[in-house]
């Protein structure tokens, strides 16, 4: 254990300014040591200091260290409090942004689900319309073309396109007769137009 020696050249009447004490003051280091025992420090100080004036000057130094420590703590508390407030504001801001992002993602997911459902409905409606149109087209083919009932008996067959064609003489390239062509999904049907009887 170290002993306390009253400093030479330190007069008991000298004023100790707490602002002039360095942070690495040996007294401050000793008082803030982890295993500091106040009672043994006071006993040791009483034994080593001669007279009331030396004890008073030591007391002033201890108060100066106490004031300095108190000011440092206040500054740290204020600094930490300011940082705490700033961090809390930042956290609140981030929480608000995360909430907005979550809300937007939920809306986007619902919108995409709606589009998906609509596209499925549209696809099924288009398939139904296509089948209905195919049936109607094949039924109209039966009305317009004689002897084509075997053409409509194939399941899944439908008309892709229909139009008029002119049959030409291959030697003279003169028109011979008007024809109707039906392009089916699996074949091509050419028909002759008959004059009304």
């Amino acid at each position: 254990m170290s002993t306390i020696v009253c400093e030479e050249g330190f007069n008991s009447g000298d004023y100790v300014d707490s602002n002039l004490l360095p942070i690495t003051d040996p007294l401050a280091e000793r008082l803030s040591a982890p295993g500091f025992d106040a009672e043994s420090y006071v006993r040791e100080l009483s034994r080593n200091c001669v007279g009331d004036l030396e004890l008073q000057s030591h007391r002033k130094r201890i108060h100066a260290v106490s004031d300095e420590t108190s000011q440092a703590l206040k500054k740290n508390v204020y600094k930490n409090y300011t940082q705490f407030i700033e961090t809390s504001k930042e956290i609140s801001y981030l929480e608000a942004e995360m909430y907005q992002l979550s809300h937007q993602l939920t809306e986007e997911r619902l919108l995409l689900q709606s589009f998906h459902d609509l596209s499925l409905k549209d696809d099924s409606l288009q398939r139904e319309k296509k089948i209905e149109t195919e049936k109607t087209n094949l039924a109209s083919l039966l009305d317009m073309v004689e002897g084509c009932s075997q053409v409509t008996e194939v399941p899944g067959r439908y008309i892709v396109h229909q139009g008029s064609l002119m049959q030409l003489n291959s030697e003279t390239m003169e028109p011979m007769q008007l024809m109707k062509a039906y392009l089916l999904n699996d074949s091509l049907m050419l028909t002759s137009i008959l004059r009304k009887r």
Side-chain angles (χ1 to χ4, degrees), residues 80-96:
N80 290 338
Y81 181 75
T82 304
Q83 287 176 345
F84 174 76
I85 295 296
E86 289 173 5
T87 304
S88 295
K89 286 179 183 178
E90 190 66 28
I91 288 172
S92 296
Y93 176 74
L94 289 174
E95 283 178 344

Side-chain angles (χ1 to χ4, degrees), residues 99-112:
Y99 175 76
Q100 288 176 350
L101 182 62
S102 173
H103 184 69
Q104 287 176 347
L105 287 173
T106 302
E107 285 180 353
E108 290 291 325
R109 185 181 53 79
L110 291 174
L111 187 62
L112 286 173

Side-chain angles (χ1 to χ4, degrees), residues 140-186:
S140 67
L141 186 63
L142 282 172
D143 291 342
M144 295 178 358
V145 180
E146 291 179 12
C148 71
S149 59
Q150 73 277 8
V151 173
T152 61
E153 291 173 358
V154 177
R157 182 175 278 171
Y158 58 92
I159 298 173
V160 176
H161 187 69
Q162 61 181 338
S164 298
L165 296 174
M166 181 62 72
Q167 183 180 8
L168 301 175
N169 186 334
S170 59
E171 293 175 8
T172 63
M173 298 306 273
E174 290 183 16
M176 290 176 50
Q177 69 175 345
L178 189 60
M179 299 182 76
K180 191 83 169 176
Y182 296 93
L183 178 62
L184 304 172
N185 62 326
D186 60 352

Side-chain angles (χ1 to χ4, degrees), residues 86-141:
E86 289 173 5
T87 304
S88 295
K89 286 179 183 178
E90 190 66 28
I91 288 172
S92 296
Y93 176 74
L94 289 174
E95 283 178 344
E97 282 187 345
M98 289 300 291
Y99 175 76
Q100 288 176 350
L101 182 62
S102 173
H103 184 69
Q104 287 176 347
L105 287 173
T106 302
E107 285 180 353
E108 290 291 325
R109 185 181 53 79
L110 291 174
L111 187 62
L112 286 173
Q113 184 64 39
S114 297
F115 283 145
H116 185 283
D117 293 345
L118 284 175
S119 70
L120 291 178
K121 287 179 184 176
D122 286 347
D123 287 347
S124 64
L125 286 175
Q126 286 176 354
R127 267 189 250 113
E128 289 175 13
K129 285 181 182 179
K130 185 177 178 182
I131 292 169
E132 190 66 35
T133 304
E134 291 168 4
K135 288 179 182 176
T136 304
N137 285 345
L138 286 176
S140 67
L141 186 63

